[in-house]
Amino acid sequence: METLARDGVLREGDRVVVALSGGMDSLVLLHLLRFTPDLFALDLSAAHFDHRMREESGADAAWVRGLCRSWGVSCHLGRATEPPTTEDGAREARYGFLHGVMEEVGGTRLLTAHQGDDQAETVLFRILRGTGLRGLAGIPRQRWPRLYRPLLSFPRAEISAYGEVVGIRPREDPSNRKVEIARNALRHRILPAVEKGIAPGARSSLRRLARLARENEEAWSSLMPGLLEGTVQEEEGGFSFVRSAFLAYHPAVRARLLRDLFRRVGIGPGEAGTRAALEFTRTGASGGAVNLPGGFRLSREFDRLVLSPGPQHAEDVLLEIPDASAGEGEAVIGGRRVAFRWGGELGHGVRSVFRGITASLAFPLRVRGWCPGDRIRFAYGRKKLKKLFAEARIPVSERKRIAVLADGKGRVLWVEAPPTLTPGAGSSDDIDFLLGIMDGHQS
């Protein structure tokens, strides 16, 4: 009662589904919810999944159904089509069934009977595998939006003692005794040996470690939104943030900030990937990038770092202007569809390439994307587009989406003003050029 009141997860009349294996822990959980005096009323259902990994599993399901009938609790049974071959496969099939029951009954909460010793074993297992600090938090009491584990603070011995007092006789799963399974080895050999010869309160200490680690993680989560406040912008499919503000923090804080941004886009690059990304934030040159799992990349564009989906490598579609007669058409540049009209009146939603086409131009003209080595002529001489882009602080990712008009000899005549450019910024010559001054022709 105290635990439920403190957590504040369950409410009067909630429709609750209890995952019921037939073992002591899940039976005690169902019994507590069904028979605790003065507990607020709940609409209880039990859900049992037969993995078909043991010959007697069908008898377990029948036994669970009979127990639920005697306790006055509705029971939902599921059965694997094929026996899972791994623990991960069994877990995936089980939770798939449980979520299906939740949908069927309109459940508001799914409860599992993970308890304090499960927590201790999980933390020790993760320590032995070299977990990061976040992994020390172990099993969460709640996994939003609907999963709740109310027995997580109670040790197995206390739960078993309650079960014996109220007369519960669980179904024993003999596979729980197989010490070749890692968790069983921790439970039956390693932890008992540690508590006997090294640390008598090892399980309790591991539970405490999980609690402290989770409190630490919750504290960091509360701080994260403010650490880069005002410097993070949502981009198409990702984020960008100010590099100088990011590098002002301690490297350990940077790592947390980066992992938080990674989680927002649903990627987990691991320790090696995170280190590579962190090193890039510090030493990567503007225009450079590092690839990340999940098809994402981290790039630098002047003083901004951009986390975005990687390029799709779609081919550009060129637009060819064969002669001086009026016309219109469409090009695909860097994934963008860009419409053009030349000669005649400017139409709605169509960018005029230029008017007054003359036969003196070297046809055919082509609308294409920027290529390395492209130059354009000004009164003071020719200049590389790459240099002009850099001077106008146009990001590398944006340059690939800018349309260029070239003549039949490959000479650049015109460059589209990029969407990110604000007219009037920068030097007048370069801005005039970027807004569409022709090379020796009327714009």
Side-chain angles (χ1 to χ4, degrees):
M1 293 285 282
E2 290 174 1
T3 296
L4 296 183
R6 181 189 67 237
D7 292 347
V9 175
L10 298 183
R11 299 285 190 276
E12 177 89 24
D14 274 354
R15 190 162 290 172
V16 174
V17 176
V18 178
L20 189 65
S21 67
M24 180 64 87
D25 299 338
S26 61
L27 289 170
V28 165
L29 175 59
L30 184 61
H31 190 278
L32 285 165
L33 295 170
R34 176 67 179 84
F35 299 112
T36 296
D38 302 322
L39 179 65
F40 47 78
L42 296 169
D43 184 349
L44 285 177
S45 297
H48 175 85
F49 186 70
D50 178 6
H51 299 90
R52 297 179 58 201
M53 298 174 74
R54 296 181 291 110
E55 289 184 5
E56 60 272 27
S57 63
D60 290 348
W63 183 90
V64 164
R65 181 174 54 196
L67 178 134
C68 288
R69 186 183 299 117
S70 68
W71 286 5
V73 176
S74 65
C75 182
H76 300 261
L77 300 180
R79 191 167 185 263
T81 307
E82 296 291 337
T85 56
T86 65
E87 289 297 317
D88 287 343
R91 185 182 303 107
E92 182 178 341
R94 181 169 64 254
Y95 274 97
F97 162 72
L98 292 172
H99 287 299
V101 173
M102 287 282 286
E103 294 302 318
E104 179 183 343
V105 304
T108 52
R109 297 291 176 192
L110 171 62
L111 271 57
T112 67
H114 293 90
Q115 34 78 357
D117 285 32
D118 294 327
Q119 182 72 290
E121 292 158 10
T122 296
V123 173
L124 180 56
F125 185 62
R126 291 181 179 179
I127 290 172
L128 295 175
R129 295 184 66 181
T131 185
L133 296 176
R134 195 164 180 256
L136 293 177
I139 306 170
R141 294 185 68 80
Q142 302 173 43
R143 188 177 292 281
W144 299 112
R146 295 187 289 180
L147 181 60
Y148 176 45
R149 300 176 172 114
L151 297 185
L152 206 55
S153 57
F154 297 93
R156 181 178 290 114
E158 207 171 317
I159 292 170
S160 297
Y162 173 91
E164 290 176 7
V165 167
V166 299
I168 293 175
R169 298 291 180 265
R171 299 285 288 188
E172 294 293 341
D173 182 350
S175 65
N176 288 336
R177 291 283 170 185
K178 294 181 178 179
V179 293
E180 57 268 26
I181 298 174
R183 183 172 290 276
N184 292 342
L186 289 173
R187 179 178 303 169
H188 300 302
R189 287 187 174 177
I190 296 173
L191 270 170
V194 168
E195 291 192 318
K196 182 178 180 180
I198 301 173
R203 286 181 173 87
S204 177
S205 297
L206 289 167
R207 288 195 295 271
R208 177 177 177 273
L209 176 60
R211 177 175 56 80
L212 294 175
R214 182 154 297 280
E215 289 174 357
N216 183 272
E217 287 301 312
E218 289 171 354
W220 273 108
S221 296
S222 70
L223 293 173
M224 282 292 140
L227 294 182
L228 289 178
E229 187 175 6
T231 70
V232 177
Q233 294 179 0
E234 287 194 20
E235 305 284 347
E236 187 175 349
F239 300 90
S240 71
F241 49 104
V242 177
R243 178 174 178 265
S244 55
F246 177 79
L247 294 180
Y249 290 110
H250 185 279
V253 179
R254 292 181 221 156
R256 281 186 174 269
L257 286 168
L258 208 53
R259 286 194 294 267
D260 182 66
L261 290 171
F262 289 160
R263 282 192 289 271
R264 293 192 202 181
V265 296
I267 61 174
E271 182 180 3
T274 300
R275 288 187 180 279
L278 280 172
E279 181 64 18
F280 174 79
T281 64
R282 188 177 64 86
T283 62
S286 181
V290 60
N291 292 323
L292 300 169
F296 279 78
R297 68 202 302 258
L298 182 65
S299 59
R300 179 183 170 188
E301 296 177 352
F302 305 106
D303 193 38
R304 293 199 75 81
L305 294 164
V306 182
L307 180 62
S308 61
Q312 299 301 307
H313 305 294
E315 291 188 5
D316 285 357
V317 177
L318 307 186
L319 169 64
E320 189 166 289
I321 302 174
D323 52 43
S325 57
E328 61 181 62
E330 186 178 77
V332 178
I333 309 296
R336 294 172 56 237
R337 292 188 177 276
V338 190
F340 293 91
R341 175 176 293 169
W342 52 96
E345 296 300 317
L346 178 64
H348 175 68
V350 181
R351 182 184 295 274
S352 176
V353 175
F354 58 95
R355 305 175 192 225
I357 278 184
T358 66
S360 62
L361 294 174
F363 290 96
L365 309 183
R366 293 183 177 89
V367 179
R368 57 170 173 81
W370 161 69
C371 297
D374 276 348
R375 299 171 182 266
I376 195 166
R377 180 168 61 83
F378 288 97
Y380 54 78
R382 291 190 174 270
K383 199 169 191 177
K384 282 189 174 183
L385 298 193
K386 179 179 179 180
K387 187 171 183 181
L388 288 171
F389 291 155
E391 290 173 353
R393 301 190 69 77
I394 299 172
V396 173
S397 59
E398 190 67 36
R399 299 174 196 178
K400 299 173 184 177
R401 293 160 54 84
I402 295 175
V404 170
L405 176 70
D407 69 6
K409 297 180 180 179
R411 296 175 299 187
V412 174
L413 306 177
W414 173 91
V415 178
E416 177 190 14
T420 55
L421 184 65
T422 302
S427 66
S428 59
D429 282 348
D430 291 349
I431 292 303
D432 284 346
F433 148 70
L434 288 164
L435 292 180
I437 291 294
M438 300 291 292
D439 181 5
H441 300 279
Q442 180 64 37
S443 175

